[in-house]
Amino acid sequence: GLFLFSLIWGVGGTIADDGRKLFDQFFRNIVGGTDPDHPKPKSIKITKSNMIPERATIYDFCFEKKGSGNWIEWMDTLDRSTLTIPKDAKINELIIQTTDTARQQFFLNTYLMHEQPMLFVGPTGTGKSALTNGYLLSLPKETYIPNCINFSARTSANQTQDIVMSKLDRRRKGVYGPPMGKKSVTFVDDLNMPAKEKYGAQPPIELLRQWLDHGHWYDKKDTTKVFLTDVLLVSAMGPPGGGRNDITSRFTRHLNVVSINEFDDSTMTRIFTSITDWHFASFEGSFVRNGKLLVAATMAV
């Protein structure tokens, strides 16, 4: 189960919407042994009971290790208390939990705990930044120090180095890191925004790549090596196009890339119905139904 789960997100995690449906069929054929060109090896013990349930795509389930392991829906990975909206919530700060948000939190959690750099790719409005910022701020303060950087077309490598270093202390000669026992989490938003220079490289990204490749930068005054320790990287970006650039694969090879899709109709309905239900909670009963109708009508328009 863990192997299948890793395979889905390691190989198929970068695929966007339509490709996911195709990969779902392809994957089930191969794993189920129904592909005549690639019969199932005798040693494989995948049966109906431990295969991913058929009622949705392979992307809709998470493998839980408890006991002998089983496939659960993403929403079941969330803490139930986060699913109800408090009475005094501010509408512009609400995050309605959906399958996508549950998935994002799961990967943030998994990759941060194991100190693996990661990258979320998805269109604007899917909550990449809001969720990641919220998650980083909810981490225990005594262990993690979040550092959020927004890249723009004018961001330079020098600025990037200054911002990251501003949150670090000198531990000993040439070694910098957060205070002992803590980890600094650098969240780079809009990773692919920096403008390309004459030769097609993006200097801030080359700087981050050098850190992931070699673990050090160079001091801007005397060019001695500066080693970074206990600094983790999380990043997010929109698909290339419209001022956003393609980024070099020499950098992305270090990152676990997870793509986040545009919300489908059922997710949209869930998000806005949750908000109307919350809004009409203090009204008399007949109003709640109108909330659902309101959302359905808006979606139709």
Side-chain angles (χ1 to χ4, degrees):
L2 280 172
F3 172 72
L4 289 181
F5 183 59
S6 312
L7 190 63
I8 293 165
W9 288 100
V11 176
T14 55
I15 303 175
D17 243 354
D18 303 338
R20 287 195 173 183
K21 297 183 182 96
L22 296 171
F23 186 73
D24 173 59
Q25 290 166 354
F26 172 77
F27 187 86
R28 286 188 189 275
N29 274 348
I30 293 271
V31 175
T34 46
D35 186 327
D37 302 335
H38 303 283
K40 193 152 84 170
K42 298 237 183 326
S43 57
I44 300 289
K45 300 280 189 296
I46 295 174
T47 58
K48 267 273 191 280
S49 61
N50 57 12
M51 180 56 185
I52 305 154
E54 303 266 329
R55 62 179 182 276
T57 70
I58 53 175
Y59 291 96
D60 293 322
F61 297 96
C62 169
F63 188 76
E64 190 180 38
K65 276 200 311 195
K66 281 183 192 154
S68 57
N70 58 331
W71 293 95
I72 58 170
E73 293 187 15
W74 284 107
M75 292 300 280
D76 299 334
T77 62
L78 292 172
D79 177 6
R80 286 278 156 216
S81 64
T82 59
L83 298 183
T84 48
I85 306 176
K87 280 204 166 50
D88 54 351
K90 290 200 182 91
I91 205 88
N92 59 335
E93 290 169 5
L94 281 184
I95 290 184
I96 305 295
Q97 299 290 10
T98 63
T99 302
D100 293 281
T101 61
R103 210 180 277 155
Q104 223 173 309
Q105 279 165 319
F106 174 86
F107 287 119
L108 270 170
N109 209 6
T110 308
Y111 289 138
L112 268 184
M113 294 310 138
H114 295 89
E115 306 190 6
Q116 296 296 328
M118 68 174 310
L119 167 63
F120 286 123
V121 184
T124 322
T126 45
K128 301 183 298 295
S129 317
L131 259 172
T132 308
N133 279 321
Y135 176 81
L136 294 182
L137 294 173
S138 71
L139 287 170
K141 303 269 183 294
E142 61 278 4
T143 320
Y144 294 97
I145 303 173
N147 185 6
C148 302
I149 308 175
N150 271 74
F151 273 6
S152 73
R154 311 205 42 100
T155 307
S156 68
N158 279 351
Q159 285 169 331
T160 308
Q161 185 163 338
D162 289 341
I163 296 171
V164 174
M165 297 299 284
S166 68
K167 292 278 172 101
L168 306 179
D169 305 338
R170 182 175 167 211
R171 290 192 173 176
R172 54 182 186 279
K173 190 171 188 295
V175 178
Y176 286 78
M180 288 303 271
K182 295 192 175 186
K183 303 229 179 281
S184 170
V185 186
T186 303
F187 172 44
V188 180
D189 201 8
D190 287 325
L191 180 71
N192 54 354
M193 283 296 272
K196 297 199 167 189
E197 39 92 302
K198 182 176 160 191
Y199 301 103
Q202 292 163 280
I205 289 179
E206 293 305 318
L207 184 80
L208 295 175
R209 182 183 66 75
Q210 184 193 354
W211 158 37
L212 293 183
D213 270 343
H214 306 290
H216 67 72
W217 284 337
Y218 292 98
D219 190 298
K220 282 162 38 186
K221 294 193 188 72
D222 59 9
T223 68
T224 53
K225 279 187 184 174
V226 174
F227 285 91
L228 305 178
T229 67
D230 289 335
V231 187
L232 314 174
L233 178 72
V234 178
S235 53
M237 67 182 215
R244 300 171 185 276
N245 302 295
D246 279 313
I247 59 176
T248 166
S249 51
R250 286 164 50 177
F251 178 60
T252 50
R253 69 195 175 115
H254 290 287
L255 307 171
N256 281 295
V257 183
V258 175
S259 74
I260 294 172
N261 290 326
E262 287 268 19
F263 294 144
D264 56 7
D265 287 0
S266 61
T267 308
M268 281 296 221
T269 307
R270 184 191 150 77
I271 291 173
F272 288 103
T273 309
S274 302
I275 295 175
T276 55
D277 287 354
W278 167 73
H279 177 71
F280 287 130
S282 56
F283 290 51
E284 64 170 85
S286 57
F287 277 95
V288 176
R289 201 183 85 244
N290 290 344
K292 293 185 174 45
L293 295 174
L294 177 76
V295 174
T298 312
M299 291 290 288
V301 172

